[in-house]
Amino acid sequence: MKLIKVIHKAPMRVAKISKRRQQIRLRRAMIELKLALSQEKQETKEMLDIYKRYSSGKAQKSELVVANKQFVDLLKGLGLGVFALLPFAPITIPLIVKLGQWVGVDVLPSSFSSSNKASRK
């Protein structure tokens, strides 16, 4: 009788474990997204500060290069934001990213790229 209870409860335990694993995976993905967005926010603030100083003639050329790279990242994020508004966004955005990798074009902003995640850790 005890063996029957264990066999009967096994699928329920597996379901609970897989549910918990999915919750942990989702939580980790949300934390990574939060960190990437906070990094983008900080870089955008720095970019705006550099452009403000450039308009008054106090910024250097090297700072302007960094600000221009961040501006390109900002445009990349806005481009993906347009696809987020379209129907089937959970399908189209990964497809666009994968297609960009296949063609050799970096579609994601720098804070979302996998090489930058490795350097942050």
Side-chain angles (χ1 to χ4, degrees):
M1 186 70 174
K2 197 172 191 178
L3 181 62
I4 293 173
K5 277 186 174 180
V6 171
I7 292 173
H8 181 271
K9 289 183 178 182
M12 295 184 67
R13 280 187 288 167
V14 170
K16 286 180 183 179
I17 290 171
S18 65
K19 180 181 176 184
R20 182 70 178 149
R21 187 176 296 144
Q22 289 294 328
Q23 288 174 345
I24 292 171
R25 191 176 295 149
L26 178 66
R27 185 172 291 140
R28 283 184 184 157
M30 290 295 124
I31 289 171
E32 286 179 8
L33 179 65
K34 179 183 173 185
L35 290 174
L37 288 175
S38 67
Q39 181 181 354
E40 279 293 318
K41 177 183 170 185
Q42 182 63 30
E43 289 174 354
T44 303
K45 283 183 179 180
E46 291 172 5
M47 176 195 72
L48 291 173
D49 185 49
I50 291 171
Y51 282 150
K52 186 178 177 182
R53 285 188 282 135
Y54 178 75
S55 65
S56 64
K58 296 178 183 174
Q60 299 174 358
K61 293 288 184 183
S62 61
E63 292 176 334
L64 196 58
V65 170
V66 172
N68 288 339
K69 285 182 182 179
Q70 177 55 31
F71 185 66
V72 169
D73 276 351
L74 187 66
L75 291 178
K76 287 179 185 179
L78 289 175
L80 283 178
V82 169
F83 289 109
L85 298 175
L86 295 175
F88 303 110
I91 297 171
T92 56
I93 292 176
L95 184 68
I96 290 171
V97 170
K98 195 63 167 177
L99 184 66
Q101 289 174 350
W102 185 59
V103 175
V105 177
D106 190 20
V107 180
L108 292 175
S110 63
S111 62
F112 290 95
S113 65
S114 58
S115 62
N116 196 12
K117 286 181 186 177
S119 66
R120 262 192 306 184
K121 291 180 180 178

